Amino acid sequence: PFRNGLGVLIMAFSTACYNFADPAPIVDAGRLDELRRRIDARPEDWLMVTAGRLIEVKGQRYLLDALARLPAEVAGRRPRLLMLGDGPLLGPLREQARQLGVDDRVVWLGWQSEPAPWFQLADLVVFPSRDAETLGNVILEAWSHGKPLVASAFRGAREIARHGEDAWVVPCDDAGALAAGIDTVLRDPALAAALARAGRERVTRDFGEAAIIARYRELYRQLLGS
């Protein structure tokens, strides 16, 4: 009985409460201009940001495959992928990009201690994690920065993201669906703006510090039977 009760307790805790999302910091316009020059960003570029350790569960190989499936121009602009992160798959992913012929469309930025400016530069945030991924902070980062989000339907995303409302959600491990999702959002400015607006509302209402503390208090109240 103790073990069963403990399991229910842990499940209730993990599903009811999340880390709260800090408000997106203000990034100086000069800093953004500096980063644009650093990556040779052009007005006709779509800047797509993905962030995460370069490991299998993050699904970056499906994102590279999706990038290769996109046309050279989407709605008259060139898709470029800003890859934030480092890890053991850096070499294999770079080789994959070369073999797919998209290495010139990927900017390998490595681990970033301050990712906020890169999120601020983004036209779109893409989070292609595989099913085993739990809640990904990248979703909250995208929402905090007011950016449209395309995400795979991994475990954490299924808990919080609402397809067509605050994110465009596609099946895991499906590069074709991921490419189609990216293409759909980039070609529809009204949809992109609506996703970004709803995401920002969600993160403020449901994942701000006050909201998360209230959930913890309610959970403790239930556990204590008060």
Side-chain angles (χ1 to χ4, degrees):
F2 173 77
R3 289 183 178 178
N4 290 340
L6 182 60
V8 171
L9 226 166
I10 292 172
M11 182 173 291
F13 189 87
S14 64
T15 57
C17 299
Y18 304 95
N19 294 331
F20 63 79
D22 293 321
I26 297 174
V27 181
D28 179 77
R31 172 64 171 152
L32 296 181
D33 289 340
E34 174 190 336
L35 295 181
R36 286 184 177 277
R37 289 192 295 270
R38 173 178 164 184
I39 63 173
D40 190 26
R42 306 169 189 172
E44 65 271 20
D45 287 342
W46 289 116
L47 298 181
M48 303 185 299
V49 165
T50 192
R53 185 160 166 74
L54 305 183
I55 55 178
E56 186 63 29
V57 74
K58 298 296 184 180
Q60 288 101 346
R61 62 188 175 102
Y62 298 100
L63 180 51
L64 291 176
D65 194 355
L67 182 63
R69 293 167 184 252
L70 290 171
E73 291 188 355
V74 176
R77 297 169 64 180
R78 177 180 64 155
R80 294 184 69 194
L81 177 61
L82 310 186
M83 187 85 77
L84 278 64
D86 201 352
L89 292 184
L90 175 60
L93 289 171
R94 295 203 68 156
E95 178 59 26
Q96 179 189 359
R98 284 190 288 270
Q99 291 183 3
L100 291 171
V102 296
D103 196 42
D104 63 333
R105 296 162 65 181
V106 183
V107 183
W108 304 90
L109 292 167
W111 182 80
Q112 297 290 317
S113 59
E114 296 182 7
W118 298 107
F119 279 97
Q120 195 60 43
L121 278 184
D123 296 298
L124 179 69
V125 175
V126 187
F127 197 33
S129 282
R130 308 189 71 189
D131 188 67
E133 177 80 89
T134 55
L135 173 64
N137 285 333
V138 173
I139 292 178
L140 302 182
E141 290 275 7
W143 287 350
S144 293
H145 285 86
K147 301 298 179 177
L149 170 70
V150 174
S152 57
F154 62 91
R155 187 185 312 171
R158 293 197 301 272
E159 287 188 13
I160 65 170
R162 300 169 181 171
H163 174 63
E165 296 183 25
D166 47 42
W168 197 261
V169 183
V170 302
C172 294
D173 301 358
D174 190 333
L178 187 57
I182 292 169
D183 188 83
T184 295
V185 176
L186 292 183
R187 290 184 186 276
D188 191 337
L191 172 62
L195 295 177
R197 183 170 56 251
R200 178 167 275 172
E201 291 171 356
R202 281 289 313 284
V203 79
T204 301
R205 183 182 69 245
D206 297 337
F207 299 96
E209 183 174 0
I212 296 301
I213 289 176
R215 288 187 190 179
Y216 274 105
R217 285 176 174 165
E218 175 60 19
L219 179 61
Y220 295 149
R221 187 190 66 77
Q222 293 177 14
L223 295 178
L224 293 172
S226 59

